[in-house]
Amino acid sequence: MRLHTLTVTAFGPFAGTERVDFDRLGRGGLFLIHGPTGAGKTSVLDAVCFALYGGVPGARNKDRSPKSDHSPPDLEPEVTLEFTVRGRRIRIIRKPRWERPKKRGVGTVSQNQKVVVSELVGGSWQGVTTRPDEAGQFVGDLLGLTLTQFCQIVMLPQGDFAQFLRARSDDRRKSLERIFNTRIFRDVEEWLGGHTRRLEREVRSAEERVREVAGRIAEVCGSTAPNDPEELTAWAAELAVVTAATARDAEAITEAASLERGRAREALSAARALRDRRDRLAAARERVALLEEHRPWRAEAEERLIAAERTDAVTPFLRARDQRRTELEKAEMTAVDRLSLVGGWSGVDTTGMVDAEPLRAAERIRHDELARLELLREDAERRRSLRRELTGLDRELTELRAEAARTRERGLVLPARVETITGELERARERAVLLDSARLALEAAERRGSAVAEVERLDGEVARAEEHRRAVVDSAQEARDRAQDLRERRIGHMAAELAAGLTEGSPCAVCGATAHPSPALPSEEGLVSAEEERRAQADAESAAARRTEAENDLVSLRERRSAALERTEGRDADTAAEEVDAAGRALVDAREAVAEVRRHEEELSQARAELERVRSREGELDRRESELVARRESATAEHERLTALLDRARGRDAGLDERVSRVTGEAELLREAAEAVDRRARAAEELRSAEAEVTEAMAEASFADEAEVRSAVLEETERRRLRSRVRDFDDQWAAARARLSDPELMAAEAEEAPDLVALETAAVAAERAADRTVAWRGGLVDRARRAAELRTDLADRLSGSEPVLRRYAVAQGLSTLAAGTSPDNTDSVRLSAYVLAARLEQVVAAANDRLATMSDGRYELRYTVDKAAGDGRARSAGGLGMRVVDSWTGAERDPATLSGGETFFSSLALALGLGDVATAEAGGTEIDTLFVDEGFGTLDEDTLEEVLDVLDRLRDGGRAVGVVSHVADLRQRVTTRLTVRKSSSGSRVEHHG
């Protein structure tokens, strides 16, 4: 995978949009990312990770949002990365989750993460996906790496691998599991342990079930179970056989007791039947005697029923007569009440009234009057309408006259106001004409004030630039003198330099002689190497360039100051400030005058328009008042005419409605009184007819009078009850006579009375003996049955526990073997550590290829299964140990004993080796862009050179290697650089080389 460009906007420390050109940086193969602490060097790498995976490494991924705090709140954060992998050009645009200010009101709105993945196909970008989950799957499939693996392989975090180098075996295992994705073997260990524990619980449960059945057998058979599980089967069989034999022996005893109980039951049953027959015969005789005493009641009841049936022909007429009498009484009361209400009215005499015709005549008179009054209702409504109209006209006239007075008063005030506004408008116009000249004067004063401020600022910058130029000139001169001195010393010691390379027997490069009796010797100052001369010359050239740059900057500042001084036109700071203030006040006054002109013109226009409206309104109000006065006079005359007409019609009543209501009520009462008189007459006639019908019905039914009829009346329920008692008496008489004639009862009287007490005592004794025998045998049979069932259950549970025991033995062996605690695991290495050991051996082999160069062949890493000092006392704590072999001493050392620089290049070699192995493990994706993080500051000059040589070889085959460091020497050694500069407004990047 090769990175091409990275563009970030409002991301991390970058407030605006910054672009990193990896193609430009990677042309030389090795490039440097440097800058001060906190500038954002690591943020560049974080942006690459975020574009690919939507997250950043380590704890920084837990931060609230990668949006820059330096950027404007409404600037949307965005990261764009272009890269090539496996021949495919990919572009990913990813926007993180961030809080956007609301467009309306205050507060923020959460914007979710967005992503756009595109691929360059045929010269144009084709969309791949816009879903974050699909984008993650696409990148993972394409690179074959997770975020953790990518950070370990591509970013080469030296700090993490220093910890990895000195870590305990368990911590090293966790790191390797994240990189090589071998968690499945750890899961196998945990599954085997959990499976063994589950089987162990099943074994204990099976043993408890077996002991439970054995305890139940001991309880049933009254025995004690053996402790040895192998003896349980024979013990249970013996108890089951003994219990079954005892139950069979008890069967004959139980049958004899049951026969004796049966004979006693039969004797008792026969005696009880004989006593029952003798008792029924005596009861029948007593019942016949009792019924004979009640036979007179039977005859009397029969006569009462016959008389009651004769009353059925008379009682309907009696009830009808009583009903007519009640109706007559009610009609009389109603007639008296209604006549009392109309008595004393005009044309109505109720004294001794029998006929209702006078009442109906009076009713007709009142209906005629109502018809006449109804015709006057429209006139009454018309009068009420006129009253409301007069009230409205009076109110409208009052309001109209008040408005006319206000309008006339306003018409007197407005002409004076128009004249006043006209004068104020003229004065404001005279001041407003000065606006343009005031604006030009202020602009000129502000230009002079800015020029004065710029002169003062440039004075300070010129002074600082002159001081800087003097320091740079002195430094350049010193660097030039030193370079010249070193050159002269090297030329002067050239013979000694050549002599230092001579060896006995080798020819001299100058004279060709093989003997060197008097080689030239250096002076006390020592030899000057070509490298020292080159570095001194480079320092001199750099100092000269800085001197030229400082002189150019000073000339530029002086030219800018001269131009600014000319723009001041001779003003100093105080004079320029006074002129700006005076011009500002004049401009403000002119602008206020313009605003006054607009306001007075608008007021004048409004005042003139209002005066015209007032004069027009005065005429309109006068015309309206004349019309209202005429309408009121006409309405008043009509109202007086209708009032006189209605007063004559209402008479003594308060009003027409009251008179209509009173006359209507009188007509209704007269109608009700006439109807009541008619009902009273009809009720009297119906009563006379009913009394005649009663007399005729009593004669036909042979009743002397009404009292005889009422005494013979029986209600239907009473009749049914009396008939039922008669039938019941007859049935009892017939049944008693039938029992007296029963031959079985008569024969029982001749037999001897049985001794029931003796027979019941014998039956109870036989019953108890039989019950005890049956219960005893039942207990033996049940015990034998339960013993047989429990014996079978015990055999089943014993046989069922055997597979669990076998599985537990196998699982326990595998679990302890995988956990490294089994005696069969001679190295005491866990399964996960064993699998990772193969990877670690490959990593160590790849790391040693580079470590040999970095350490000048001194150090070599070696994998070991032995536990390190910090691995703890657990038997399976080792398996992923690492030692450092020192070829100078031949001894093995713990990585923790290495110095800071040794730890760095050892960790770097280990990181590079792990990257190679993990890349191959991930499917061989070629990594063409690598980054190496901080740590170079711990190296001496020679070791740094060797480490850079190793990094330089990493770029073989077109690979680009980026070094992230703030070490100053690296800027001289690596010419292609990406500089990250920080400021209070955010960081920015610059490309060099």
Side-chain angles (χ1 to χ4, degrees), residues 418-586:
V418 169
E419 184 177 355
T420 301
I421 295 173
T422 302
E424 292 177 353
L425 177 60
E426 293 299 326
R427 289 190 294 273
R429 283 173 176 169
E430 292 174 358
R431 291 163 50 212
V433 296
L434 303 176
L435 176 62
D436 292 337
S437 60
R439 185 184 297 111
L440 294 175
L442 177 60
E443 291 176 356
E446 287 177 343
R447 283 196 300 271
R448 290 191 294 271
S450 299
V452 170
E454 186 175 1
V455 168
E456 292 178 350
R457 179 179 59 81
L458 290 174
D459 285 340
E461 292 186 9
V462 167
R464 290 191 295 273
E466 289 177 346
E467 183 178 354
H468 175 65
R469 183 187 65 81
R470 285 193 295 271
V472 169
V473 168
D474 294 342
S475 176
Q477 187 61 40
E478 290 175 1
R480 183 172 180 280
D481 293 343
R482 184 173 182 276
Q484 186 66 29
D485 179 61
L486 289 177
R487 182 173 181 81
E488 292 175 354
R489 283 175 53 196
R490 185 163 183 258
I491 293 173
H493 293 81
M494 188 61 68
E497 180 179 344
L498 293 174
L502 295 176
T503 58
E504 195 66 30
S506 62
C508 175
V510 178
C511 64
T514 57
H516 316 292
S518 283
L521 297 176
S523 65
E524 294 179 357
E525 295 178 347
L527 295 177
V528 177
S529 65
E531 180 61 26
E532 287 179 328
E533 182 185 1
R534 282 195 299 272
R535 284 200 299 270
Q537 185 62 34
D539 291 342
E541 292 174 357
S542 298
R546 289 194 296 272
R547 173 181 177 177
T548 302
E549 182 180 359
E551 291 174 345
N552 292 337
D553 291 343
L554 179 59
V555 171
S556 176
L557 288 173
R558 286 172 174 170
E559 291 176 352
R560 289 165 56 193
R561 183 186 181 282
S562 299
L565 185 61
E566 184 178 353
R567 291 196 300 274
T568 62
E569 298 179 3
R571 269 75 165 179
D572 56 12
D574 294 338
T575 304
E578 291 175 358
E579 291 180 352
V580 169
D581 291 341
R585 288 193 299 271

Side-chain angles (χ1 to χ4, degrees), residues 58-352:
R60 296 188 300 278
N61 197 35
K62 300 178 182 178
D63 195 9
R64 51 185 175 80
S65 173
K67 185 182 186 308
S68 175
D69 294 331
H70 300 282
S71 64
D74 57 347
L75 181 60
E76 185 174 24
E78 180 180 288
V79 178
T80 302
L81 178 67
E82 290 188 25
F83 61 96
T84 298
V85 59
R86 297 182 180 180
R88 301 171 64 179
R89 181 75 174 247
I90 305 298
R91 180 180 67 191
I92 300 178
I93 303 174
R94 196 181 291 269
K95 300 176 181 179
R97 179 182 176 86
W98 65 296
E99 296 295 325
R100 174 182 60 79
K102 291 182 177 180
K103 296 181 179 179
R104 295 181 180 178
V106 297
T108 59
V109 178
S110 295
Q111 296 290 108
N112 291 327
Q113 185 178 134
K114 300 177 182 178
V115 65
V116 177
V117 181
S118 307
E119 182 175 0
L120 187 62
V121 179
S124 62
W125 291 101
Q126 303 293 328
V128 176
T129 182
T130 58
R131 291 182 52 181
D133 54 343
E134 292 181 355
Q137 183 68 34
F138 174 77
V139 172
D141 294 342
L142 194 62
L143 299 181
L145 300 171
T146 64
L147 174 60
T148 301
Q149 293 171 331
F150 181 83
C151 293
Q152 297 286 359
I153 294 170
V154 178
M155 300 303 175
L156 298 183
Q158 174 270 331
D160 290 349
F161 276 86
Q163 298 176 4
F164 181 80
L165 181 66
R166 296 190 294 263
R168 296 183 296 113
S169 290
D170 189 57
D171 295 336
R172 193 173 288 128
R173 175 187 57 77
K174 293 177 181 178
S175 298
L176 292 173
E177 278 182 352
R178 289 197 305 269
I179 297 173
F180 292 108
N181 196 20
T182 59
R183 174 67 189 179
I184 184 173
F185 297 99
R186 184 71 171 180
D187 294 340
V188 169
E189 291 178 15
E190 295 175 356
W191 182 89
L192 286 173
H195 183 59
T196 301
R197 289 189 292 273
R198 287 193 297 273
L199 289 178
E200 184 180 1
R201 290 193 293 270
E202 292 182 13
V203 168
R204 286 199 296 268
S205 177
E207 291 177 351
E208 290 174 0
R209 290 196 296 271
V210 169
R211 286 295 175 188
E212 178 190 0
V213 175
R216 289 160 58 191
I217 293 175
E219 180 183 356
V220 169
C221 300
S223 178
T224 303
N227 293 325
D228 189 357
E230 296 181 356
E231 298 177 1
L232 290 175
T233 302
W235 169 75
E238 180 182 356
L239 290 178
V241 170
V242 172
T243 307
T246 304
R248 285 193 300 272
D249 294 342
E251 185 174 356
I253 300 172
T254 303
E255 289 179 357
S258 297
L259 289 174
E260 183 63 28
R261 179 179 59 183
R263 286 191 292 270
R265 286 177 177 176
E266 290 176 359
L268 179 61
S269 178
R272 287 175 175 171
L274 176 59
R275 188 186 65 176
D276 181 64
R277 290 194 298 271
R278 291 172 65 88
D279 292 343
R280 282 190 288 155
L281 179 60
R285 287 173 178 169
E286 292 177 359
R287 187 63 177 166
V288 169
L290 180 63
L291 293 175
E292 186 65 31
E293 294 176 359
H294 290 82
R295 286 190 66 81
W297 172 86
R298 166 70 175 76
E300 182 184 350
E302 185 69 25
E303 291 177 0
R304 288 191 65 193
L305 289 172
I306 293 173
E309 291 176 356
R310 285 190 294 114
T311 63
D312 292 342
V314 181
T315 51
F317 294 103
L318 288 174
R319 286 194 294 271
R321 186 203 62 189
D322 294 339
Q323 183 178 0
R324 297 295 184 271
R325 184 178 292 147
T326 302
E327 291 178 355
L328 176 60
E329 292 174 355
K330 291 181 179 180
E332 180 67 27
M333 292 174 62
T334 302
V336 172
D337 182 58
R338 295 294 182 268
L339 290 174
S340 66
L341 294 175
V342 300
W345 286 359
S346 175
V348 178
D349 185 8
T350 60
T351 305

